[in-house]
Amino acid sequence: MPYLSLQDGVRLFYKDWGNPTGQPVFFSHGWPLNSDNWETQMNFLGNQGYRVIAHDRRGHGRSDQPWHGNNVDTWADDIAQLFSHLDLTDVTLVGHSTGGGDLVRFAANSKAQSKTSWVKKLVLVSAVTPGLLRADWNPNGVPIEGLNQQRALLLKDRAQFFYDVPEGPFFGFNRPNATVSKGLIQSWFNQGMQASIKSTFDTIAAWETDFRPDLRSLDIPVLVIHGDDDQIVPFGVGNQTVGFLKNGRFKVYEGGPHALPNIRADEVNNDLLAFLKET
């Protein structure tokens, strides 16, 4: 399995699939998951001739579990080191939930550091941008009490919490007439428990990040996708993102839950392919 040893000694696991000379697409996963949660999209685009790459964020999946560095700036720097290692250019970035946040920071940093050849386009799926925390400018965000409750539940009984989330709001399985997949629930639990408790706890603080300056700095094409029944990142948060972009568009998935790459996989796959084919 491929690993990259980062500058601070952390080993980062990544997948590099599909056509090695194809147009590259890089995926960043949500909390508390890993690159396996993108396997449907990676398999689809890989079979379409694209080079598809995804990593396990530090502290998650098969990557090392350091005590420090579980924050947006370090995650963005880890991605930059991986891009340098793989000599990537003209990449379309695709981020889900927390992964949308670290990719927005990475894209903004890349532009600020004059590495504009790295990033061609960006797709944000159910992302935590422009900010998850409730504020005067973000009245539909999650109150700090809600984030603190998640911290408490994680520390009290992480295993039970990591069943409650996928059995309920993450996939929308708590909605009437929902078709429940026990396999998706178990997969979410397995991926979550593979991450360290420290990284999963620290990530909650990262959700308090204000990504508005990062978004404003971007001039690349950005596709923002959000479900209007997202119980994790409220629709009233996600639908603001495009307003801070110079070259963004917004697509609503009616009735869509937070887990669009899983629950609405075919639609996400087709939207990604169409966006990739645009010149």
Side-chain angles (χ1 to χ4, degrees):
M1 294 188 293
Y3 284 88
L4 170 64
S5 292
L6 300 168
Q7 292 174 354
D8 63 357
V10 171
R11 292 192 317 149
L12 195 73
F13 172 83
Y14 67 94
K15 302 174 182 181
D16 190 351
W17 291 356
N19 179 3
T21 62
Q23 182 180 341
V25 184
F26 181 81
F27 296 85
S28 187
H29 61 82
W31 174 95
L33 307 172
N34 58 55
S35 58
D36 291 350
N37 202 54
W38 283 117
E39 64 182 8
T40 301
Q41 286 70 42
M42 293 179 71
N43 183 64
F44 174 77
L45 292 178
N47 284 320
Q48 296 288 332
Y50 292 88
R51 181 182 181 185
V52 288
I53 304 155
H55 72 318
D56 291 358
R57 189 175 298 115
R58 64 168 58 214
H60 296 70
R62 289 137 293 202
S63 292
D64 285 350
Q65 299 185 354
W67 189 256
H68 300 290
N70 302 303
N71 57 73
V72 174
D73 286 328
T74 304
W75 298 335
D77 185 63
D78 290 350
I79 296 169
Q81 291 183 56
L82 181 58
F83 270 50
S84 292
H85 174 69
L86 296 176
D87 193 24
L88 297 173
T89 58
D90 294 328
V91 182
T92 295
L93 310 175
V94 185
H96 176 245
S97 195
T98 302
D102 64 25
L103 289 186
V104 164
R105 179 60 52 85
F106 166 70
N109 289 351
S110 299
K111 182 182 179 184
Q113 297 164 10
S114 299
K115 296 178 179 177
T116 54
S117 64
W118 274 356
V119 181
K120 183 178 182 180
K121 299 178 182 179
L122 171 63
V123 182
L124 299 173
V125 184
S126 311
V128 294
T129 58
L132 186 59
L133 185 65
R134 181 175 295 175
D136 290 342
W137 66 269
N138 191 23
N140 295 310
V142 177
I144 189 63
E145 293 80 8
L147 299 185
N148 288 338
Q149 181 184 33
Q150 292 186 60
R151 292 182 177 100
L153 290 170
L154 190 150
L155 293 178
K156 179 181 179 181
D157 188 345
R158 183 166 74 119
Q160 185 58 54
F161 184 45
F162 280 7
Y163 268 122
D164 293 341
V165 173
E167 286 181 336
F170 194 88
F171 296 106
F173 291 157
N174 55 345
R175 295 307 197 204
N177 303 316
T179 301
V180 177
S181 167
K182 293 182 179 179
L184 280 177
I185 294 170
Q186 189 64 53
S187 177
W188 199 100
F189 174 84
N190 291 345
Q191 290 179 58
M193 292 304 293
Q194 197 174 7
S196 74
I197 189 171
K198 185 67 164 62
S199 66
T200 52
F201 182 87
D202 289 353
T203 297
I204 297 174
W207 297 341
E208 301 176 29
T209 304
D210 182 352
F211 290 102
R212 289 179 295 170
D214 304 274
L215 293 167
R216 290 189 180 108
S217 74
L218 301 179
D219 51 18
I220 56 173
V222 182
L223 173 62
V224 182
I225 298 172
H226 216 98
D228 64 7
D229 193 31
D230 191 326
Q231 301 173 68
I232 303 296
V233 179
F235 181 72
V237 170
N239 67 0
Q240 298 181 87
T241 295
V242 72
F244 299 103
L245 294 166
K246 297 181 179 72
N247 188 9
R249 76 180 76 162
F250 185 57
K251 181 166 185 180
V252 181
Y253 277 37
E254 294 185 5
H258 187 64
L260 295 178
N262 311 103
I263 301 300
R264 305 281 281 270
D266 288 344
E267 293 172 71
V268 171
N269 290 349
N270 290 329
D271 282 339
L272 289 178
L273 183 61
F275 188 60
L276 285 163
K277 288 183 174 180
E278 292 178 7
T279 57

